[in-house]
Amino acid sequence: MKNKFQKQIVTKLAFIVILFMYASLTSAQHKAPMNAPKSAVNMKNPFPADASSLERGKHSYKIDCVRCHGKEGKGDGVGAGKVHKVISDFGSEAIQKQTDGELFWKISEARRPMPLTDITNDQRWDIVNYIRTFKKN
């Protein structure tokens, strides 16, 4: 009986340790910068930032991004409070200095809890063009 009780306690302690390790790993993931690989940094946007692309990007942004990133891209959308990490301000210098390829890769590889929706590559490129409109003067 004692042996069975000890096994139950060890099992429960192991489970708790694993939960803490997982929590610290996922927390560390959100604190570390999300660096795109060189292959992504050098990718070129196949869509010029013309009125058509910006309109498509704005439409996709409203459907897939605005809930957390906010109407003006400041990271202050209605869903932002439910996210336990800092949401990027798309107008910031840190975001705006990234290449189109980096932004495309980050949208594609989204960190949790950012949902990986069914947006196409073309939509992602248009969203990148639209993100550029948030640049601060």
Side-chain angles (χ1 to χ4, degrees):
M1 180 99 161
K2 185 177 179 182
N3 197 16
K4 184 178 178 182
F5 179 71
Q6 287 174 332
K7 284 182 183 179
Q8 287 176 341
I9 290 196
V10 169
T11 301
K12 288 179 183 178
L13 286 173
F15 180 73
I16 291 169
V17 168
I18 290 169
L19 280 176
F20 279 117
M21 289 173 57
Y22 176 77
S24 68
L25 285 174
T26 56
S27 176
Q29 174 200 21
H30 290 295
K31 290 178 183 172
M34 188 177 183
N35 296 317
K38 289 246 187 239
S39 59
V41 172
N42 297 323
M43 288 184 353
K44 299 295 180 206
N45 190 334
F47 297 101
D50 59 17
S52 181
S53 175
L54 293 175
E55 188 59 37
R56 291 188 311 265
K58 182 178 184 177
H59 176 75
S60 294
Y61 181 88
K62 284 182 177 181
I63 293 169
D64 295 302
C65 313
V66 76
R67 148 178 71 258
C68 291
H69 289 281
K71 186 177 178 183
E72 297 176 8
K74 295 180 181 179
D76 60 353
V78 295
K82 298 175 185 169
V83 178
H84 301 292
K85 69 177 219 115
V86 175
I87 298 175
S88 298
D89 175 352
F90 289 144
S92 71
E93 182 180 349
I95 295 296
Q96 291 293 323
K97 74 178 182 180
Q98 294 178 44
T99 68
D100 286 357
E102 285 176 284
L103 295 176
F104 176 87
W105 182 85
K106 290 178 181 185
I107 293 168
S108 301
E109 296 298 317
R111 283 187 177 167
R112 298 277 182 224
M114 190 168 124
L116 292 172
T117 59
D118 294 328
I119 59 175
T120 66
N121 286 344
D122 290 358
Q123 288 170 312
R124 288 183 182 107
W125 285 119
D126 287 332
I127 290 170
V128 168
N129 284 336
Y130 184 66
I131 286 171
R132 298 293 184 205
T133 68
F134 295 122
K135 185 176 182 177
K136 295 178 172 78
N137 296 330

